[in-house]
């Protein structure tokens, strides 16, 4: 079964529509031992198809517009943080303490990009939080070299930090969390109530670009990459996306710029501004949540609680490890999931773990989540019901890592691998191993002739200075090709709908 056909079947789409998707393959991009290029193109392809399907329904077109997926555009988007320039400045991707470390019995990966995660890592290891970076790297390296990897994992997690011990694919598959993840669909979803069918205002096909999400309000409660990629995509398609963050937990500035296209950004303290949030919720069509499962339930933000207060809502949630199993409440990031699920072992050597050529779990899961939201909106217009969509980085990792499925096999609920005989291998087995967190080169990012010559990059002015950025890869006939709005400063907008 083709990758797009598989994912489209998981999303509940009409199988005949996959014939509307054409792919421009570029074997030189996103090289890896695992079929990253196939995963990336499939995630973008189904997202574009879901957008085209909804556009056709809203504009009363005679058929679903054709979709074209170009591996070059996809590769540039999946490595967007490497292409970003802000006033000519190259952003910082990984902090000094976000890295792989040798331990007494293997390897452990830490994530300390955020100041609070850095502080918790140092505290867990008995080091002062104000330790200067160079000294901290030396001190942490010396300490971890004498400790077992899984002991470090548990100690740092217990302190509220983020660390994961390296596992082989076999070790992950045998773990309780690995078994829980393997038993779930790639994209989960369902109906929460019997709300009436959604009625869309028509989108005239002659009104410029077809914007399937025009007029929809999306409340964006996400951070890091996967969730913001999903909401950035919905903004591209015409949605009014308002990202809301707690004021005491600021986002990394460069990361905010990379994933902030098309959106507005506000802060809101749910512990004392619940009424303001309820006002936003009362006019929202979609809520996207990217915090750890259960961490916001005390604010009434579970899917059923939200739908009870706002019937007809679509609630989309994502997590690192899944909303099930013993790791459901654990913090996680793409780099940590690669290490924990065996991907880093597969991409490495006997001497050192490796990494994928992009944060493909984050980006791929983001496009899957956006596709799930778009399909939920289409189904709402036919059958009604408040709906939920759920994805997890670890589930995307399982799809990438597993072997190919038999032709014609059903996709729902089974561990399907990306690719097959034509896509599984890339011929790159002898390539230099890329360490976890290491940036790839121009070939990884899809640059034809270098960054300045790439057809997938663009420059524009913004409130933050002149930006160079990767164009969106989600394309369909008559649809948008760029975001209308450039990102502005984090938290600078009012917490209200336009």
């Amino acid at each position: 079964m083709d990758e797009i056909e598989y994912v489209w079947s998981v999303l509940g789409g009409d199988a005949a529509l996959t014939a509307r998707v054409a792919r421009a393959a570029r074997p030189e991009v996103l090289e890896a031992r695992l079929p990253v290029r196939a995963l990336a193109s499939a995630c973008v392809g189904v997202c574009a198809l879901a957008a085209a399907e909804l556009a056709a329904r809203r504009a009363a077109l005679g058929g679903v517009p054709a979709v074209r997926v170009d591996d070059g555009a996809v590769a540039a988007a999946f490595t967007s943080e490497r292409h970003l320039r802000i006033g000519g400045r190259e952003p910082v991707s990984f902090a000094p303490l976000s890295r792989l470390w040798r331990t007494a019995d293997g390897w452990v990966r830490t994530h300390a990009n955020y100041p609070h995660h850095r502080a918790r890592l140092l505290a867990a290891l008995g080091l002062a939080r104000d330790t200067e970076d160079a000294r901290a790297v030396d001190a942490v390296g010396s300490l971890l070299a004498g400790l077992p990897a899984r002991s470090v994992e548990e100690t740092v997690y217990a302190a509220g930090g983020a660390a994961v011990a390296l596992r082989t694919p076999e070790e992950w598959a045998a773990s309780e969390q690995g078994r829980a993840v393997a038993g779930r669909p790639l994209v989960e979803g369902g109906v929460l109530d019997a709300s009436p069918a959604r009625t869309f205002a028509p989108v005239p096909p002659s009104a410029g670009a077809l914007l399937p999400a025009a007029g929809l309000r999306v409340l964006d409660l996400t951070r890091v990459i996967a969730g913001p990629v999903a909401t950035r995509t919905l903004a591209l398609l015409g949605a009014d996306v308002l990202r809301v963050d707690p004021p005491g937990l600021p986002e990394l500035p460069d990361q905010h710029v990379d994933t902030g296209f098309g959106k507005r950004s506000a802060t809101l303290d749910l512990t004392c501004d619940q009424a303001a949030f309820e006002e936003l919720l009362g006019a929202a069509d979609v809520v996207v949540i990217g915090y750890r499962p259960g961490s916001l339930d005390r604010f009434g933000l579970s899917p059923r609680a939200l739908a009870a207060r706002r019937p007809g809502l679509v609630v989309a949630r994502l997590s690192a490890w899944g909303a099930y199993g013993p790791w459901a409440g654990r913090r996680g990031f793409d780099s940590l999931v690669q290490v924990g699920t065996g991907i880093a072992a597969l991409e490495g050597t006997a001497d050192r773990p490796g990494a994928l050529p992009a944060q493909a779990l984050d980006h791929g899961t983001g496009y899957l989540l956006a596709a799930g939201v778009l399909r939920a909106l289409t189904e709402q217009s036919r059958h009604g019901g408040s709906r939920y969509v759920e994805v997890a980085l670890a589930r995307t990792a399982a799809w990438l890592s597993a072997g190919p499925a038999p032709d014609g096999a059903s996709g729902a609920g089974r561990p399907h691998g990306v690719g097959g005989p034509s896509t599984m291998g890339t011929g790159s087995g002898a390539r230099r191993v890329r360490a976890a967190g290491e940036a790839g080169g121009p070939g990884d990012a899809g640059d034809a002739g270098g960054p300045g010559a790439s057809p997938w990059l663009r420059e524009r002015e913004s409130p933050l200075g002149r930006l160079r950025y990767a164009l969106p890869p989600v394309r369909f006939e008559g649809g948008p090709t760029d975001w209308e709005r450039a990102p502005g400063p984090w938290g600078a907008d009012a917490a209200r709908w336009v």
Side-chain angles (χ1 to χ4, degrees), residues 216-222 227-228 231-232 234-235 238-245 256 259-268 276-277 279-281 283-289 291 485 489-498:
L216 298 177
R217 288 170 167 168
V218 177
L219 192 53
D220 179 0
L221 308 178
T222 70
T231 52
R232 183 181 68 181
L234 296 175
D240 177 11
V241 178
L242 177 63
R243 174 168 163 172
V244 176
D245 287 277
H256 166 71
T259 60
F261 284 86
K263 311 178 195 179
R264 291 178 296 120
S265 170
T267 60
L268 192 65
F277 177 82
E279 185 174 349
L280 290 173
L281 175 63
D285 298 286
V286 178
V287 176
V288 186
I289 301 173
Y291 290 79
R485 179 188 178 97
W490 178 84
D493 296 295
R496 62 173 180 265
W497 298 114
V498 174

Side-chain angles (χ1 to χ4, degrees), residues 23 26-42 44 70-83 347 355-361 363-364 400 423-428 431 434 440-447:
R23 177 184 175 193
R26 299 180 187 271
E28 72 277 9
V29 302
L30 296 177
E31 285 191 291
R33 294 186 178 128
L34 290 170
V36 177
R37 185 172 59 254
L39 174 142
S41 292
V44 170
D70 192 305
D71 285 355
V74 172
F78 268 57
T79 54
S80 60
E81 70 279 2
R82 299 180 201 160
H83 298 293
E347 289 290 330
L356 299 177
Q359 294 187 72
L361 305 181
H363 286 271
L400 176 63
T423 58
M424 201 64 183
T426 64
S428 59
R431 66 181 170 78
R434 182 183 293 102
D444 299 316
D447 287 346

Side-chain angles (χ1 to χ4, degrees), residues 65 209-212 237 474-482:
L210 286 170
L211 298 174
L237 299 172
V474 173
R475 302 287 181 92
F476 61 91
E477 186 179 6
T481 59
D482 198 355

Side-chain angles (χ1 to χ4, degrees), residues 157 177 291-295 319-331:
Y157 170 71
Q177 188 64 30
Y291 290 79
R292 287 179 296 119
S295 62
S319 60
W321 305 105
Y324 35 75
W327 283 21
R330 291 205 172 191
R331 295 165 183 83

Side-chain angles (χ1 to χ4, degrees), residues 48-439:
L49 184 57
E53 177 191 38
L54 183 57
R57 185 163 181 82
R58 293 195 64 181
L61 303 179
V64 172
V67 169
R68 186 171 189 270
V69 183
D70 192 305
D71 285 355
V74 172
F78 268 57
T79 54
S80 60
E81 70 279 2
R82 299 180 201 160
H83 298 293
L84 181 67
R85 298 293 183 270
I86 307 170
R89 177 181 62 82
E90 184 175 351
V92 176
S93 294
F94 284 93
L97 294 181
S98 293
R99 61 172 63 195
L100 279 164
W101 309 87
R102 280 194 180 275
T103 64
D105 59 352
W107 295 85
V108 70
R109 168 83 196 196
T110 56
H111 193 286
N113 284 5
Y114 287 97
H116 57 291
H117 289 157
R118 181 187 188 276
R120 292 167 186 172
L121 170 65
L122 293 176
L125 300 176
L127 300 171
R129 68 172 60 197
D130 59 353
T131 304
E132 184 266 331
D133 279 338
R135 289 178 53 228
V137 168
D138 290 341
V140 171
S142 297
L143 283 168
L144 297 189
L147 298 172
R150 297 200 186 183
S151 172
V152 174
E153 175 183 275
E154 293 300 326
T155 299
V156 174
Y157 170 71
V164 173
L166 178 72
R167 287 166 173 79
T168 65
E170 295 76 18
E171 288 170 334
W172 172 251
S175 70
E176 189 176 349
Q177 188 64 30
R179 292 194 301 271
V181 168
R184 310 296 287 236
L186 178 62
V187 181
E188 299 184 66
V191 181
L192 295 168
D193 59 29
S195 299
R198 177 181 289 275
T199 301
F200 285 114
V203 177
S206 61
L210 286 170
L211 298 174
L216 298 177
R217 288 170 167 168
V218 177
L219 192 53
D220 179 0
L221 308 178
T222 70
R223 295 175 66 80
V224 196
I225 297 176
V229 164
T231 52
R232 183 181 68 181
T233 303
L234 296 175
L236 168 74
L237 299 172
D240 177 11
V241 178
L242 177 63
R243 174 168 163 172
V244 176
D245 287 277
L249 198 63
E251 180 60 285
L252 301 175
D254 294 344
Q255 191 166 268
H256 166 71
V257 175
D258 183 41
T259 60
F261 284 86
K263 311 178 195 179
R264 291 178 296 120
S265 170
T267 60
L268 192 65
D269 188 346
L270 294 184
T271 62
C272 58
D273 290 332
Q274 190 71 31
F277 177 82
E278 293 301 319
E279 185 174 349
L280 290 173
L281 175 63
D285 298 286
V286 178
V287 176
V288 186
I289 301 173
Y291 290 79
R292 287 179 296 119
S295 62
L296 299 181
D297 286 359
R298 68 188 186 278
F299 299 114
L301 298 185
S302 69
R304 289 196 180 277
L306 288 167
R309 308 201 300 281
R310 173 62 169 159
L313 196 67
V314 173
V315 183
R317 297 198 304 178
L318 68 99
S319 60
W321 305 105
Y324 35 75
W327 283 21
R330 291 205 172 191
R331 295 165 183 83
F333 299 89
D334 184 304
S335 57
L336 300 185
V337 176
Q338 287 190 42
V339 169
T341 61
I343 287 176
L346 287 171
E347 289 290 330
T349 67
D351 297 324
R352 182 176 179 83
L356 299 177
Q359 294 187 72
L361 305 181
D362 260 332
H363 286 271
T365 303
Y367 289 109
L368 289 175
L369 188 61
V373 169
L374 295 166
R375 286 248 60 249
L377 290 166
T378 296
E379 291 301 313
Q380 271 191 334
S381 71
R382 293 170 176 157
H383 309 296
S386 300
R387 294 174 181 260
Y388 74 93
V389 180
E390 293 195 358
V391 293
L393 302 189
R395 188 62 193 84
T396 304
W399 173 40
L400 176 63
S401 301
D407 288 343
S410 170
R414 73 172 161 75
H416 176 91
V418 180
S422 62
T423 58
M424 201 64 183
T426 64
S428 59
R431 66 181 170 78
R432 182 181 67 84
V433 172
R434 182 183 293 102
E438 179 183 345

